[in-house]
Amino acid sequence: PAAAAAADLSAAADDEGAAGNETSPSPSPISAFSLGASDGRLVGGHRIDFVPIADVESLQLIWYLPPHAYAYGQKSLEYISRLLGDEGPGSLVSYLRRDHGWVDGLGAGAASPSASYSQFAVSMMLTDAGADKVDDIVEAVFRYLGMLRGRDPERWRWDEAADLAGIAWRFLSPAEPGALCQQASMTLTSGFCAVCDTLRAPFVYREFDAKAIAEAAGRLTPGTLLLYRGSRSFEAIAGSKRGSWETEEYYGIQYRLAPLGADQARRWAAAVEEGAAGWPLALPERNRFIPTDFSLVQRPPGPAKAAKDRAAPRPSVLVSDAGARLWHHVDTSFREPKAAFVCSIAGPGISRDARALWATQILFSLVMDALQEEAYPATVAGITPAVAVGGEGLEVSVAGYSDTLFRVLDLAARALDPNSTLPTERFEAIRRLAVRSYEAERFAGSLQTAVLWVKMVTRRHTAFYDHLAAVPLVRALTVEDVLARRAALFAEGARIECLASGNVNATGARFALDRVREAVGAGPADPHELAALRQGTLSLPMGAHVYALEAPDPAERNSAAALYFEMGTSEKDLLVVATAQLLVLLLQQPVFSQLRTTEQLGYSVGVQLFQAWSASAILFYGMSDSASAAYLDERFEAFIRAYGTELRATSEEAFATAQAALEANLRVRDQSVEEQTGRMWDEVQMHTCRFDRALELRHFVKRATLEDVVMLYDQALALNGTRKKLSVWVQAPGEERRPAPLREGPPVPFNGMTPIKAEDLEAWRAERTLIRASDVLCTQHEFAAGAEPALTARADLPDDMDSRI
């Protein structure tokens, strides 16, 4: 059981470590609990060291406790986990990360997976410095627990959590039906809660029990602790078979189980008794971002039957000038007091080249890290600010409850202010985190690498996608480079494009834009410079080309192939897009049946429509641990040629069924303010502004015929004289030695596929023309200049602007 726990933790660390964030893996229960032990003493006081799959340093503290599942209305363990996992001033993670640089992230949580026990976990990803400070880190955890035990549980903290849970339940976004059904089934069969709480049990706060909270906190001791420590540094020791190292049966994880040292146990027990006196630890203050006003900007009319072909909601343009454009859409149809504000800031100083782009990313990672303690309560209250580098510049977003949204927007705007405080002492930690995250791209898997390189070959600007190429650039950056980047960021001007959507009026939308403009403090950028920075898709030459590369991970077992068939611009003729969607829908089941089930090429085999920046393509993809990338390509080609006969024989009934299915998919409406904002923003960001895209596509789906689909199939996929194909092969080490899988029919010749060599790729790309997008539809939405003047200074706003917005 300990080995299984170590394997589970290793797998979780492998997944989470790639992103460089905190982890919350859940090890398997120790077998003693199946015999009824639920106080942790039979398994506590032990340590499990293991060699993780990913190169990460992890630490997890687990306590097994008496069952709390039936007391779900008390939320006693959740009370403790909220405090231990807090990230505000005086928090445990602030002490460990900001003060000492020992951890990259920390998470705390409780679970009740069984009727016989509950578990409580504190999980951390360690830095290189923290890897040697495990005893000190655990001491800090116990001192924080001692601080909790030294004071009575406070009713207002429990009430605050109850208020947040009540708000979340009241405005819960619709769930996917299958997932909701599964959750309900599992909850009902567990028997833990009343039937009336089947769906809302995680949100129920019924009884504040100070005694239960104190008892739970009192059980979190060194004697009941099971400590998991994952590190590649154990590999040499484990490989030498010294000590009590074993190998887990299923995952091959090397691990050892040993009692905690006596000195460790005494030190940590003393920390619990002494508490945090003299330590920079404190419990969080009241959360000022919790919303209290849930009124809607405009009361929607009573429920009415929607028109069968009603157009989707679309934003209008409130402000349009040389430096900015503001889109705005009021929507209270979801009856949610939520809004979203998202901005893209483009400029030559932001992403002129790869070095500038990644230096800008490090800069804003550093800035957001400085704001983390202040922003964390907003995140807890359901309002999330973000500032990061995107495909065409900086992206700023704030989404959540409109009552306090603009307080959080001010945090994001401060991140843009070149005069705000920059914590340069955190530079090394932020850079190291970034390097670890970018290096994790190496282990993303061969199929993800193949799709990534389709973008790398076909996109106009590629630096944003190439994380592995970013590693040496980021490693070479100095804090002086980042400070210089900050000074030059908006020196050549900027273009700001924003969308305010949801429960926000025009005054609030203009206020948000003006706050961003004030923070940026720059005039308009040169239009020609901006045009050169715009993303786009390159048009392929006629014929078939292949770009092959070795898998970045030397331990990769799978080869992969991605076959990209260009169809050109998707904006000139939506009939082509609708026809392509029908073709893909008709292809999906035969592709899976033939290549996955019959030929067993690999677990991941499929076909999808590939659209971005006004360009459309059909993408076939496959991954296999037994076939080479070239063989995968060959089998896709064989399928494509054989499928023509089946496609032409499609019955009227089958084609009508496909049309109806696609129409039904296109009729699915936005389910939340966030989803609606995302759809609108995608149209703005792609410079297409087809806000009624789904409605228009439904019209063309009805018009499309089987003959249209067959013609597209011939021209784009089957006929060598008209198709434009790019294959990307990711070759696993040693794939040339693999036996050829069973073939279905004779091999199909590649008909003169032209290789693109790595050293020739940039020259090949430079010869390509751009599939250009048009801003015509976007400009058609704009009002006449000066129709509605924007507020120009925050000083013009009254004191009660938050409530008026």
Side-chain angles (χ1 to χ4, degrees):
D8 286 350
L9 178 59
S10 176
D14 188 25
D15 292 338
E16 296 288 344
N21 296 326
E22 65 268 18
T23 62
S24 53
S26 179
S28 302
I30 300 300
S31 59
F33 288 96
S34 66
L35 304 177
S38 60
D39 61 6
R41 286 176 292 183
L42 294 185
V43 295
H46 285 81
R47 168 175 176 150
I48 296 176
D49 295 325
F50 65 96
V51 180
I53 297 171
D55 189 11
V56 294
E57 299 283 343
S58 63
L59 173 65
Q60 187 176 49
L61 313 180
I62 297 282
W63 291 269
Y64 288 91
L65 307 172
H68 282 251
Y70 295 100
Y72 62 90
Q74 295 178 354
K75 299 293 189 290
S76 300
L77 294 180
E78 286 79 357
Y79 178 97
I80 302 170
S81 67
R82 281 175 61 85
L83 296 177
L84 273 170
D86 180 71
E87 297 184 22
S91 64
L92 178 61
V93 70
S94 180
Y95 171 79
L96 295 174
R97 180 174 60 190
R98 297 188 64 83
D99 294 355
H100 290 284
W102 290 342
V103 306
D104 286 331
L106 179 148
S112 297
S114 166
S116 47
Y117 71 95
S118 293
Q119 68 181 40
F120 189 92
V122 178
S123 307
M124 289 159 276
M125 298 303 297
L126 307 182
T127 65
D128 293 339
D132 297 325
K133 296 290 184 179
V134 169
D135 288 1
D136 296 321
I137 293 170
V138 177
E139 179 184 357
V141 174
F142 278 117
R143 286 197 177 274
Y144 198 96
L145 285 170
M147 179 175 64
L148 290 181
R149 291 169 60 175
R151 56 196 300 175
D152 294 334
E154 297 169 285
R155 177 63 188 253
W156 74 264
R157 297 186 186 279
W158 189 90
D159 287 341
E160 187 174 89
D163 289 343
L164 286 169
I167 293 168
W169 172 252
R170 178 180 174 186
F171 301 109
L172 194 64
S173 297
E176 193 275 322
L180 195 65
C181 183
Q182 184 180 24
Q183 175 196 339
S185 175
M186 293 174 65
T187 304
L188 287 168
T189 54
S190 71
F192 289 157
C193 68
V195 174
C196 62
D197 290 334
T198 298
L199 299 179
R200 64 180 180 181
F203 305 90
V204 171
Y205 280 71
R206 286 205 178 95
E207 178 189 0
F208 172 69
D209 191 332
K211 182 180 178 181
I213 294 171
E215 286 181 352
R219 291 179 179 272
L220 305 179
T221 69
T224 57
L225 170 65
L226 188 60
L227 185 153
Y228 287 87
R229 176 74 176 95
S231 175
R232 284 284 183 89
S233 65
F234 296 140
E235 198 164 15
I237 305 173
S240 67
K241 304 299 182 182
R242 295 199 306 269
S244 55
W245 285 87
E246 300 181 48
T247 300
E248 186 270 334
E249 179 180 0
Y250 297 101
Y251 295 92
I253 299 297
Q254 296 173 300
Y255 73 97
R256 67 180 174 189
L257 173 66
L260 294 175
D263 291 341
Q264 287 177 317
R266 282 193 293 269
R267 175 184 176 184
W268 296 340
V272 175
E273 295 302 319
E274 294 168 8
W279 285 56
L281 297 174
L283 298 181
E285 301 293 330
R286 294 179 185 270
N287 193 331
R288 68 186 182 95
F289 294 105
I290 297 177
T292 56
D293 181 1
F294 304 110
S295 59
L296 301 178
V297 169
Q298 177 183 354
R299 290 288 180 186
K305 186 175 181 180
K308 186 175 182 181
D309 281 333
R310 188 179 65 187
R314 60 172 62 199
S316 58
V317 176
L318 285 186
V319 177
S320 181
D321 55 43
R325 180 165 56 186
L326 171 64
W327 300 83
H328 176 232
H329 176 69
V330 177
D331 196 322
T332 57
S333 62
F334 302 107
R335 299 185 179 272
E336 293 180 334
K338 295 181 179 180
F341 181 74
V342 57
C343 270
S344 174
I345 305 171
I350 298 171
S351 54
R352 184 184 300 279
D353 54 40
R355 188 175 186 276
L357 184 145
W358 294 114
T360 303
Q361 179 62 69
I362 296 299
L363 167 64
F364 282 98
S365 296
L366 195 61
V367 172
M368 293 306 292
D369 181 80
L371 295 174
Q372 174 63 24
E373 289 186 354
E374 196 173 349
Y376 179 74
T379 304
V380 171
I383 310 163
T384 306
V387 180
V389 173
E392 292 188 345
L394 287 177
E395 293 185 359
V396 182
S397 64
V398 181
Y401 295 99
S402 46
D403 181 31
T404 53
L405 184 80
F406 290 90
R407 299 180 205 169
V408 184
L409 172 64
D410 194 64
L411 292 177
R414 278 161 48 196
L416 299 171
D417 188 346
N419 298 314
S420 61
T421 304
L422 195 65
T424 54
E425 70 278 1
R426 287 278 296 157
F427 171 75
E428 291 296 337
I430 295 298
R431 184 178 62 173
R432 176 180 42 77
L433 265 177
V435 168
R436 175 183 290 180
S437 174
Y438 302 153
E439 285 183 325
E441 191 77 47
R442 188 181 311 279
F443 309 104
S446 58
L447 181 56
Q448 186 170 326
T449 301
V451 175
L452 170 68
W453 274 92
V454 168
K455 298 177 183 178
M456 293 286 291
V457 174
T458 61
R459 295 286 161 86
R460 182 186 190 185
H461 301 298
T462 61
F464 177 70
Y465 303 104
D466 198 349
H467 289 183
L468 290 180
V471 170
L473 296 176
V474 173
R475 277 189 173 139
L477 288 175
T478 65
V479 69
E480 290 76 20
D481 294 330
V482 173
L483 292 173
R485 177 104 303 275
R486 190 182 204 190
L489 204 58
F490 305 122
E492 299 175 69
R495 166 73 175 175
I496 303 172
E497 182 118 41
C498 299
L499 167 66
S501 175
N503 192 48
V504 55
N505 60 24
T507 302
R510 292 194 188 95
F511 165 75
L513 172 63
D514 287 337
R515 181 65 185 97
V516 172
R517 288 181 112 163
E518 177 189 349
V520 171
D526 184 282
H528 298 290
E529 292 264 21
L530 293 174
L533 295 172
R534 178 177 289 189
Q535 185 60 283
T537 303
L538 304 177
S539 180
L540 299 179
M542 202 70 71
H545 293 74
V546 58
Y547 182 78
L549 67 152
E550 295 182 357
D553 180 7
E556 178 63 63
R557 296 174 54 197
N558 296 293
S559 293
L563 284 63
Y564 172 96
F565 294 89
E566 179 189 310
M567 292 185 299
T569 178
S570 59
E571 298 306 310
K572 288 184 179 178
D573 190 354
L574 283 183
L575 176 59
V576 175
V577 179
T579 305
Q581 290 187 355
L582 280 169
L583 176 57
V584 168
L585 189 62
L586 291 167
L587 278 166
Q588 284 173 341
Q589 183 57 43
V591 165
F592 186 87
S593 177
Q594 175 63 31
L595 301 177
R596 168 70 177 89
T597 305
T598 302
E599 298 192 28
Q600 298 187 13
L601 285 186
Y603 184 78
S604 296
V605 175
V607 59
Q608 67 182 48
L609 196 64
F610 203 72
Q611 289 182 284
W613 284 283
S614 300
S616 293
I618 292 178
L619 184 76
F620 291 84
Y621 58 88
M623 180 174 69
S624 175
D625 63 356
S626 60
S628 67
Y631 183 80
L632 289 170
D633 197 311
E634 176 188 319
R635 299 316 302 155
F636 276 119
E637 286 283 10
F639 169 84
I640 289 169
R641 283 162 173 75
Y643 179 69
T645 302
E646 180 180 340
L647 177 62
R648 287 174 169 80
T650 302
S651 67
E652 291 184 7
E653 181 181 2
F655 188 74
T657 299
Q659 284 179 302
L662 184 52
E663 278 193 75
N665 289 340
L666 293 170
R667 286 185 185 279
V668 175
R669 306 191 70 81
D670 303 319
Q671 299 297 303
S672 65
V673 169
E674 294 86 353
E675 189 173 319
Q676 183 182 88
T677 303
R679 175 183 58 79
M680 294 176 180
W681 186 242
D682 283 346
E683 293 290 339
V684 173
Q685 282 291 83
M686 295 293 170
H687 313 290
T688 50
C689 299
R690 284 189 180 273
F691 301 111
D692 286 337
R693 182 178 298 275
L695 176 63
E696 295 181 65
L697 282 173
R698 291 206 308 268
H699 169 74
F700 286 110
V701 167
K702 292 177 184 177
R703 281 182 48 189
T705 65
L706 179 59
E707 288 73 23
D708 294 326
V709 175
V710 171
M711 183 181 298
L712 181 65
Y713 158 82
D714 286 336
Q715 292 180 348
L717 302 181
L719 299 179
N720 290 329
T722 58
R723 67 179 187 166
K724 298 180 177 182
K725 175 194 172 186
L726 168 71
S727 292
V728 173
W729 297 349
V730 178
Q731 300 166 323
E735 73 156 28
E736 69 279 359
R737 298 189 297 273
R738 291 177 176 175
L742 177 66
R743 296 181 186 272
E744 287 290 325
V748 176
F750 285 109
N751 295 317
M753 286 186 71
T754 304
I756 307 171
K757 297 180 180 180
E759 60 269 24
D760 299 332
L761 178 59
E762 287 309 310
W764 185 89
R765 283 169 39 81
E767 295 172 356
R768 308 279 72 81
T769 58
L770 197 63
I771 300 175
R772 295 196 175 274
S774 171
D775 265 344
V776 171
L777 289 178
C778 293
T779 56
Q780 284 177 358
H781 290 276
E782 297 185 2
F783 291 161
E788 294 195 47
L791 300 175
T792 57
R794 297 184 71 209
D796 298 336
L797 300 173
D799 293 337
D800 62 344
M801 178 52 70
D802 262 357
S803 59
R804 290 182 60 188
I805 289 170

